[in-house]
Amino acid sequence: MNRSTLLRGIGNWSMFKRSLLLFTLAIFFSSSFLYFTAPGSKIRMFLAETVITTQHRDWAWIFVGSEKRDAMVAAMQRMSDDNAEEKQDLTAITRKNHQGKLAEVVDIKGDNWVGKKMYVYDPHAIRVVVPHKQGEGERITSMVQRTGAIAGVNGGGFDDPEGLGNGFAAIGAIMSGGKLLFTDTGDDVGQHIVGFTKEGTLIIGKYSANELRKLGVTEAVSFYPRVIANGNPLITKGDGGWGRAPRTAIGQRADGTVIFIVIDGRQSHSVGATLREVQDLLLEDGCINAGFLDGGASSELVYKGELITKPSSRYGERRLPSGFLVFDNPDSIKVDSVWDGLTHIDPGGSYDHPDYIKEQQEKAKKNPTNPNPTNPSPNKANSPTKKPEGSDPSGNNTDSSNETPASSPPSKNVTPTKNPETPTSTETQAPTG
């Protein structure tokens, strides 16, 4: 059969057959490019890095295989731990008494992203705020409105089953007003910390609760990685290895000015930024210490009562365990621990997420033959998580972090009731998002 005969034969095929042929050829050539060329291999690595930092980390095997995926996750963790080692020069901040404007926000953009940058000229104006009731986290807009803050950004990580967690199961440590509100380890165990001393110095690195107390740290949450230490960038090769995603970062200049950066991502108007891009933005602004807060769908900035970034969560703002808020009169703000007295924390999931349940109920109305309105598909991937055994009906249980409330004896850690099929999240720790 010659070429012209073949083409005429294909031309007589139905539209379905021609479409199927084109689809098959597209898959063949794209797969050949991705798996058998050097540029394709780089693209696969980048895609794997990006997937690893989402709630769907396991799916990165599609691009690099399960063994390579696990090695990449381990390398990310090592990088974060290595970057946290260098201790800060606490004398490098020469802050003067603040006068004039307290905070301002400017627009920023790059080749693949848009976002906001907020300058806070007095670090003492920044406080860590947590939810006001047990059992669920709180949206940053709610925190800002409830406390009368000028502005707020998302804070530390949390256990987040299916990306539908209730935001109450914090990970790491949380301090506010000099009080340890939450910790999931013993007081001598180092954790990744982003916080402020009573002098207004930004602290980033790995510290135990006892070390934080000795340093006079008053506000703190847990997240990583650190990217600038004592004026030096820590990512000097490549883009940081975490792909593109929504980001929230914090840095401090030598004059004490604090800079928050929030990048939109996973949307048509903004794909997201790499770690290196955000690091370099903070370097250009003169930051001598900087690191990341929780990212992904949690990234957001609220200013003057308005949400001015676009979170990538399909349900809008997420409920979170902590936030950094800016106040005119920070000393008047009292923050209590909502984890006191709890022995287990339920991180939530699809079984109790109000927006998810409402969405499934609406789908069920359109498909009345489905007997389970919260499970429109028999596929395991779409099935809702079950409430962990032993959970209190009120939802006031801890699940997702081995916590030691500040009011409890140091040896008493809270044991999480994790669902073994759901990832530990934080857009976050070894971060997912």
Side-chain angles (χ1 to χ4, degrees):
M1 180 184 294
N2 59 36
R3 181 179 178 183
S4 60
T5 303
L6 176 62
L7 292 176
R8 281 197 302 271
I10 293 175
N12 292 327
W13 286 3
S14 66
M15 180 63 73
F16 173 76
K17 285 186 175 180
R18 291 199 299 269
S19 298
L20 184 60
L21 174 62
L22 290 174
F23 177 75
T24 302
L25 290 174
I27 292 294
F28 173 76
F29 287 114
S30 61
S31 298
S32 297
F33 172 75
L34 287 173
Y35 287 89
F36 299 106
T37 69
S41 295
K42 291 182 179 179
I43 292 173
R44 284 191 298 110
M45 286 291 292
F46 182 80
L47 291 173
E49 291 168 352
T50 300
V51 172
I52 285 171
T53 59
T54 72
Q55 296 292 340
H56 310 289
R57 171 184 298 169
D58 289 346
W59 289 96
W61 71 266
I62 293 174
F63 303 106
V64 294
S66 58
E67 185 175 345
K68 179 64 174 178
R69 174 204 61 199
D70 294 343
M72 291 171 67
V73 171
M76 288 180 177
Q77 187 65 53
R78 286 195 301 273
M79 182 267 281
S80 298
D81 288 341
D82 290 345
N83 286 2
E85 286 185 0
E86 183 180 342
K87 298 303 181 184
Q88 288 181 214
D89 177 6
L90 299 182
T91 66
I93 304 299
T94 57
R95 192 184 68 83
K96 298 179 180 179
N97 291 332
H98 169 73
Q99 294 181 347
K101 184 182 296 185
L102 182 59
E104 65 177 327
V105 174
V106 299
D107 294 328
I108 54 176
K109 65 178 181 179
D111 292 337
N112 298 284
W113 53 266
V114 298
K116 303 288 184 180
K117 182 191 298 181
M118 179 169 68
Y119 297 91
V120 181
Y121 298 109
D122 184 355
H124 287 119
I126 300 170
R127 293 288 307 277
V128 168
V129 174
V130 302
H132 62 102
K133 63 179 182 179
Q134 289 187 342
E136 67 174 311
E138 186 175 7
R139 294 173 177 85
I140 299 299
T141 51
S142 174
M143 289 185 184
V144 167
Q145 292 166 4
R146 175 171 61 85
T147 61
I150 297 171
V153 302
N154 57 292
F158 59 102
D159 186 22
D160 188 26
E162 308 166 282
L164 297 170
N166 57 30
F168 189 64
I171 289 175
I174 300 176
M175 294 183 72
S176 184
K179 181 182 178 182
L180 184 65
L181 305 183
F182 176 95
T183 180
D184 56 13
T185 65
D187 283 9
D188 290 321
V189 179
Q191 303 189 71
H192 289 279
I193 294 295
V194 179
F196 290 92
T197 69
K198 59 186 177 183
E199 289 82 19
T201 298
L202 177 65
I203 288 287
I204 301 178
K206 207 164 186 179
Y207 298 91
S208 68
N210 286 334
E211 287 176 316
L212 294 178
R213 294 186 184 103
K214 290 178 182 178
L215 290 171
V217 172
T218 57
E219 315 295 319
V221 300
S222 285
F223 212 73
Y224 56 76
R226 183 188 194 187
V227 288
I228 303 176
N230 298 315
N232 299 311
L234 299 179
I235 301 175
T236 56
K237 295 180 180 179
D239 61 13
W242 287 12
R244 290 193 176 277
R247 306 285 185 198
T248 301
I250 183 174
Q252 188 174 40
R253 294 171 171 170
D255 67 0
T257 299
V258 176
I259 299 174
F260 290 97
I261 287 179
V262 179
I263 305 291
D264 291 342
R266 301 175 188 162
Q267 300 171 74
S268 58
H269 77 283
S270 181
V271 177
T274 66
L275 299 185
R276 177 70 174 269
E277 287 173 336
V278 178
Q279 170 194 269
D280 291 349
L281 282 174
L282 293 166
L283 274 174
E284 291 169 6
D285 238 320
C287 290
I288 61 173
N289 291 294
F292 283 85
L293 298 169
D294 194 4
S298 299
S299 286
E300 65 171 289
L301 170 61
V302 176
Y303 186 61
K304 295 183 177 179
E306 180 183 356
L307 177 63
I308 60 174
T309 56
K310 296 181 179 179
S312 62
S313 169
R314 62 178 170 171
Y315 301 119
E317 271 190 279
R318 309 195 69 200
R319 296 172 293 177
L320 305 173
S322 61
F324 279 107
L325 273 58
V326 182
F327 295 93
D328 278 318
N329 188 9
D331 293 336
S332 67
I333 304 303
K334 186 176 185 295
V335 181
D336 295 318
S337 172
V338 289
W339 296 279
D340 282 356
L342 299 179
T343 56
H344 295 284
I345 298 176
D346 177 2
S350 58
Y351 74 87
D352 72 343
H353 192 287
D355 295 315
Y356 176 83
I357 292 172
K358 180 180 178 181
E359 179 183 78
Q360 302 312 308
Q361 289 173 340
E362 291 174 350
K363 288 181 179 179
K365 289 179 182 178
K366 298 178 181 179
N367 182 20
T369 60
N370 185 356
N372 184 359
T374 63
N375 185 14
S377 168
N379 295 333
K380 181 178 178 182
N382 292 329
S383 60
T385 51
K386 295 180 180 180
K387 192 169 187 177
E389 295 180 5
S391 294
D392 182 84
S394 67
N396 297 343
N397 294 331
T398 28
D399 185 20
S400 95
S401 25
N402 303 331
E403 156 201 327
T404 312
S407 61
S408 304
S411 61
K412 183 181 178 182
N413 286 350
V414 171
T415 302
T417 317
K418 290 185 180 179
N419 182 330
E421 295 182 359
T422 57
T424 295
S425 132
T426 55
E427 297 279 345
T428 115
Q429 301 272 354
T432 64

